[in-house]
C-alpha cells in the first residue's frame, strides 16, 4: 500500500475520525471483497476541499447499496458536508474519492 500526501494539518477530531475510518473501510473492502493486492491513498488539499483518493487493483464491482457499508460511509461524511464517489467497473480497478469541504477543517 502506498500513502501519498504532503499535508501537515490536523482535522477537528470528529472529521478526522470520519475520514480515518472511511479510508480504513475502503482499504478493508478492497482486500476483503475485491481481493486487491495493492492500494494507493493520496490526500491533497485545494482552496476549498480536502480530497482523498483511494485506488485498488482488485476485481471491481463495488456498488453503493442503501443498507451497505458504503452508504453508511456516505452518511457519515455528509454530516460534515463531505461526499464519497465510487467508480468500480467489473474487472477493476476501484477508485473512491472522499471530499470534505475546508470549512469543516
Amino acid at each position: 500500500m502506498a500513502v501519498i500526501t504532503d499535508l501537515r494539518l490536523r482535522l477537528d477530531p470528529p472529521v478526522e475520525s470520519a475520514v480515518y475510518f472511511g479510508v480504513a473501510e475502503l482499504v478493508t473492502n478492497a482486500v476483503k471483497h475485491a481481493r486487491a493486492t495493492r492500494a494507493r491513498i493520496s490526500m491533497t488539499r485545494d482552496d476549498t476541499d480536502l480530497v482523498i483518493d483511494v485506488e485498488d487493483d482488485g476485481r471491481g464491482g463495488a456498488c453503493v447499496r442503501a443498507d451497505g457499508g458504503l452508504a453508511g460511509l456516505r452518511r457519515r461524511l455528509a454530516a460534515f458536508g463531505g461526499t464519497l464517489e465510487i467508480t468500480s467497473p467489473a474487472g477493476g480497478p476501484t477508485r473512491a474519492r472522499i471530499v470534505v469541504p475546508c470549512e469543516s477543517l
Side-chain angles (χ1 to χ4, degrees), residues 15-79:
V15 177
E16 186 172 89
S17 179
V19 168
Y20 172 85
F21 285 108
V23 170
E25 184 171 344
L26 292 169
V27 172
T28 298
N29 287 350
V31 173
K32 183 177 178 181
H33 300 295
R35 299 186 189 136
T37 59
R38 294 183 188 181
R40 180 177 183 268
I41 302 163
S42 68
M43 295 183 282
T44 58
R45 183 176 177 181
D46 63 19
D47 290 339
T48 59
D49 302 310
L50 171 65
V51 180
I52 303 163
D53 290 306
V54 179
E55 182 176 346
D56 68 62
D57 68 349
R59 60 185 178 172
C63 62
V64 180
R65 294 184 324 269
D67 62 342
L70 294 175
L73 176 52
R74 274 190 175 162
R75 286 189 300 274
R76 290 190 301 277
L77 293 168

